[in-house]
């Protein structure tokens, strides 16, 4: 999966545990899970296009270090509907 971070494009080795959550009256996001042998800095605002929609990273990435050379990442990217959580009516 290609993740766009400003001018750079990261090609992430996404695992089978990744999924897209899309339900009525609830969240609409993509959860990416992957691991890497080196640290990857994924900035807030990074985005990916999936099935015609752009999903954006709104919160910092969650990563765990497993040993000396394994970093496990969990990225939750929100759809444009996720911006509505910022407002109250």
């Amino acid at each position: 999966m290609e993740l766009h971070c400003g001018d750079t494009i990261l090609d992430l080795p996404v695992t089978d545990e990744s999924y897209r959550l899309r339900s009525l009256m609830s969240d609409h996001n993509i959860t990416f899970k992957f691991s890497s042998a080196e640290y990857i800095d994924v900035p807030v605002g990074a985005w990916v296009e999936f099935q015609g929609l752009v999903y954006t990273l709104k919160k910092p990435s969650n990563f765990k270090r497993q040993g000396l050379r394994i970093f496990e990442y969990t990225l939750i990217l929100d759809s444009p509907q996720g911006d509505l959580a910022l407002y109250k009516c």
Side-chain angles (χ1 to χ4, degrees):
M1 187 63 74
E2 290 184 352
L3 185 71
H4 299 266
C5 304
D7 295 335
T8 61
I9 297 175
L10 300 174
D11 191 21
L12 301 178
V14 180
T15 65
D16 291 337
E17 296 174 351
S18 301
Y19 59 91
R20 178 179 74 161
L21 177 64
R22 187 173 168 186
S23 59
L24 293 173
M25 303 294 288
S26 186
D27 294 333
H28 185 182
N29 56 28
I30 292 180
T31 301
F32 285 138
K33 295 186 178 188
F34 66 96
S35 61
S36 175
E38 57 189 36
Y39 176 75
I40 301 173
D41 184 28
V42 181
V44 173
W47 60 275
V48 66
E49 184 176 348
F50 183 72
Q51 292 186 348
L53 285 175
V54 175
Y55 295 87
T56 309
L57 184 66
K58 308 269 192 229
K59 297 178 184 175
S61 63
N62 181 12
F63 80 96
K64 296 178 184 176
R65 186 173 181 174
Q66 303 289 337
L68 294 175
R69 296 191 46 96
I70 300 174
F71 294 94
E72 294 181 354
Y73 293 85
T74 302
L75 302 177
I76 300 175
L77 293 100
D78 291 317
S79 68
Q81 290 88 347
D83 292 338
L84 295 175
L86 301 173
Y87 304 104
K88 282 188 175 181
C89 293

